[in-house]
Amino acid sequence: MVIEMRDLMFLSEKNGEFPLDKLSRGSTAVITEIKAAAAAARLAEMGFVPGETVQNGFTSPAGDPTAYLLGGCSLVALRNNEAKNISVRIIAEQKGAL
Amino acid sequence: MKLTSFKQKRAAEPRRLYLLGNPNVGKSTVFNAMTGLRQHTGNWSGKTVDAASGKYTYNDREYELTDLPGTHSVNSGFSEESVAARSIARGNGAVTLILADAAALKRGVALALEFLENNGGGAVLCVNFCDIAERRGIKINFEKLSEALGIPTVGITAKKRGDIKRLKELTDKNYDILSKRAAPQGPRSTAEELLKRAAEISNECTEAPTAASSPCCAADRVLTSRIFGIPIMLLFFAGILWLTIEGANYPSELLSRLFAHIKPYLAAYVPSPLKGILVDGIYGTVTWIVAVMLPPMAIFFPLFTLLEDAGFLPRIAFNLDRCYARCGMSGKQCLTQCMGLGCNAVGVCGCRIMPDEKQRTIAVITNSLIPCNGRFAILISLSAIFIGGMVPDRLAGLMPMLCVLALICLAFAVSGGASLFFSKTLFRGSEAAFAMELPEYRRPEILKTLAVSLVTRTIKIVGRAILVSAPIGAVIWLLANMYVGGVPALTRLSLLLDPAGRLIGVDGFILLAFILSLPANEITMPILIMGYTAAGAMADAGSLADLSALLEQNGWTLLTAVNMMILTLFHWPCATTLITIYKETKSPKTLALSFLTPCVIGITLCLITKLLTKAVLLIV
Ligand SMILES: Nc1nc2c(ncn2[C@@H]2O[C@H](COP(=O)(O)OP(=O)(O)OP(=O)(O)O)[C@@H](O)[C@H]2O)c(=O)[nH]1
Ligand SMILES: [Mg+2]
C-alpha cells in the first residue's frame, strides 16, 4: 500500500531529494542517504537508515529540535544541523498542517 | 527435601542471566518483578546508567540476573552503552534475555539479530508491553517469531505476575541448551541491513490494524507548541511546588509538636550525664530533620516521579534544547539536572547519558548548582518564613511557592551560564548534537508509583540523612557545650568566621553551618539552630514560627535570608556528591572545579546583593 502511494507521489511531486530539516510538519518521507559519514553510525543506531520512513512530528517552541516519527514506531528528536545531513524523498505531503 | 535443595543451591554456581534491550523497554521493571528488588524505573531512555544484579530462585535453582543500561546496539561505542557490551562479553556461559517493545518490535528484533550474529545464540527474546500492543490491536505471532530468529520467544506485560512466572519458566527450561553457545559465524551486518531484516521479520509476525494509531499524539503538539510549551511546563512545576509547600505545612507542624511532646518523657529515661548529648544533641537534630525535611520530600518526589513515569521529562529537555544549545550543551543535560533535583550524586551518575565527553564533564561540574532535596527543604522553610511573612495571609501560600520557583529558575539559569563559560573556555570544541528518543506517554500507576517512590526514595534519603546527622548532632552538641575560655567552642569558631560572613552579608554561624554540613546538606539548618540557641542545644525550634523568632533574635534581616538562600543554592557539593564525581571522572581537575564553581558563584552573588542593599539603603 505504501509503495503504491509512493509511486503516486512520484508523479505529482518534483521527484527530488531534499534534506530532512526541510520536511514540513506532518509530512512523511523516506530516507535515501545519510550524508555525514561521521554521524552516520550514531544516526543509524537511533534508527535513521536509508529506506526507513520518517514523518515530521512536531517542533520545539524555539523551532530547533524537531521530533521525527521513525518507521511509524519510535519518536526521535534531532537538531536541524543534524537533520540536514539526512536526504529524504517525500512520500506523503501534509498540506495546511498545524 | 528442603535440605537437599539447600545443598544443591550451595553446590551449584547461580545461573547467570542478563537483561539486554533498547532504552526504555522495561528492563528495570522486569528486573524488579523477577528479583523483587527496587531498581529505579522511569519513562525515558537512559534511566539506568549502571549494571545492577539481583538473585531469585526458580525450581530450586538460583539465578543471578543483571539489569543493564539500555542500548541500541551491542557493539556501540557510547559510554552509556558500552557497559552492556562489556558485561555480556564477560558473561560467557550465561543466557541473555533480550527485551523488546511490542509496539516497536522491529527495533527489538534488530538488536536480537545483532546479538545473535555476535554471540551465535544464548538468548531469549522477550516482548514486553503486550498490554499496550493489545490495546492498539497489534497481534504478534510468537511461534513464528521464535522460528524466524531461532531462539525461544515470549510475550509479556512486565506488571503481570503470571507473565513474569512464564518468563522464569521458559528460561529455566531452556537454560542448559542456551548457555552452550555456538561460535559466532559469518560477517557482521551493518545497522541498515539489520534493520531491514528485522522489519521483514516483524512484519511477517505481526498483524497491525491498518489505521495504526501513531504514537505521535496531539498532546505533544500542545506541550511543545510555540505559545504554550514553556508556560505549561512552568505551570506544572509551580503546581507541584504549591502542593508541596501547602501540603507539607500541616504534617510538619504536627510532627514537630509530637516530637516536642515526647521529648520530656525521653529525657526522664536517659541517665543524666548523657541527657544533653542524647536528647538535645541527637534527638533534637534527628527529629528536626524528620519534621522539616520529610513532609516536603514525601510530597514533592512522588509527584515528580509521576511526571517522570508519564514521559514528561524528555519533553522538557526537548523544549529547552535550544537554550542548552546556546550554552554549548545539549537538552540531555536537563535530564541530568532533573535527577539532580532529587540528589546531586544521582545527577552526576546520570551524566553518563551525555554522549559527548566535554559536555559530560561540564554537566558533572554544574550539576550541584541545582538544589538537591536536602537544600530544597531549606529553601522552602526559609521562603515560608521570610517571604510568606512579608505578604498578607491571603497570599502566604502563593508567595513562598513563587519564591522557590524563582530560585530554581535562577539555579537553572546560573548553571546555564556556568556551562556556557566552561564550553567557551576550558572545554572548548564539543560536538553540538542532540539526538534523543521521546518515549510515548504512559499513564502512570498512580498509587503504586506514589508508594514505591515514597519507600525507595524518600524514606531512603531521609534514612541516610538521619544516619549522618545523628553523630554530627552529637559532635555539634559537644562543640556547643565545650567551653573554651568561658565561651562555647562553637561560638568561638563562628566568631572566627564572622568577619568573612559579614563581608558577604551573612554571619559566622551561617558559614560554620555550611562548612560543618559537608557530609550532608540536610543538617545545615539543625547546626545553625544549635549554634544560635544560647543553651547550646536546640530549643524546640521545630515549628516555623519558633524558627522565625530565633532567626530574628539573631539579627537576621531580609538580606541575611536572601543570602542564606543563595548560599544554600550555591556553596559546594556535599561529600557524597564529591566522592561520586571523583569516581565518575577520576579527574582531580573536575573535582576541584566542581567544588570551586558553586563556591565562587555563591560568594559573588552574595556580594552583589549586599552592595545592592547598601545602595538602596543609601538612597532611602
Ligand atoms: N503499560 C506498561 N508499562 C510498562 C511495562 N513495562 C514497563 N513499563 C513502564 O515503562 C517505563 C520504562 O521502564 P524501565 O524499566 O525504566 O525501562 P528500562 O528498559 O529499564 O529503561 P532504561 O534503563 O532507560 O534503558 C516505566 O515507566 C515502566 O513503568 C508494561 O509491560 N506495560
Ligand atoms: Mg532501566
Side-chain angles (χ1 to χ4, degrees), chain A residues 25-26 42-47 49-50 52 56-67 69-79 81-82 98, chain B residues 72-73 76 78 81 103-104 106-107 191-192 195 214-216 220-221 224-226 315 318-319 321-322 325 329-331 431-438:
Chain A
R25 181 184 283 197
R42 200 163 40 80
L43 287 172
E45 237 157 51
M46 308 289 291
V49 293
E52 188 70 294
N56 180 328
F58 48 90
T59 302
S60 95
D64 193 351
T66 296
L69 186 62
L70 262 175
C73 62
S74 55
L75 203 51
V76 182
L78 273 193
R79 283 188 185 161
N81 66 4
E82 267 191 295
L98 280 171
Chain B
H72 285 295
S73 147
S76 172
F78 287 175
E81 296 177 335
K106 182 167 69 176
R107 305 298 304 275
E192 192 183 335
L195 255 176
S214 74
C216 186
D220 270 329
R221 298 245 158 109
T224 62
S225 81
R226 193 172 283 264
R315 267 77 184 181
F318 177 74
N319 276 349
D321 178 62
R322 197 53 193 277
M329 300 293 287
S330 115
E431 188 191 341
F434 169 75
M436 190 181 68
E437 277 166 330
L438 299 174

Side-chain angles (χ1 to χ4, degrees), chain B residues 276-298:
Chain B
I277 193 164
L278 285 185
V279 178
D280 292 330
I282 296 179
Y283 180 81
T285 314
V286 168
T287 56
W288 199 92
I289 286 178
V290 172
V292 178
M293 301 276 156
L294 185 62
M297 274 164 63

Side-chain angles (χ1 to χ4, degrees), chain B residues 235-248:
Chain B
L235 263 181
F236 259 108
F237 207 72
I240 291 188
L241 281 179
W242 187 77
L243 282 175
T244 305
I245 294 174
E246 284 292 285

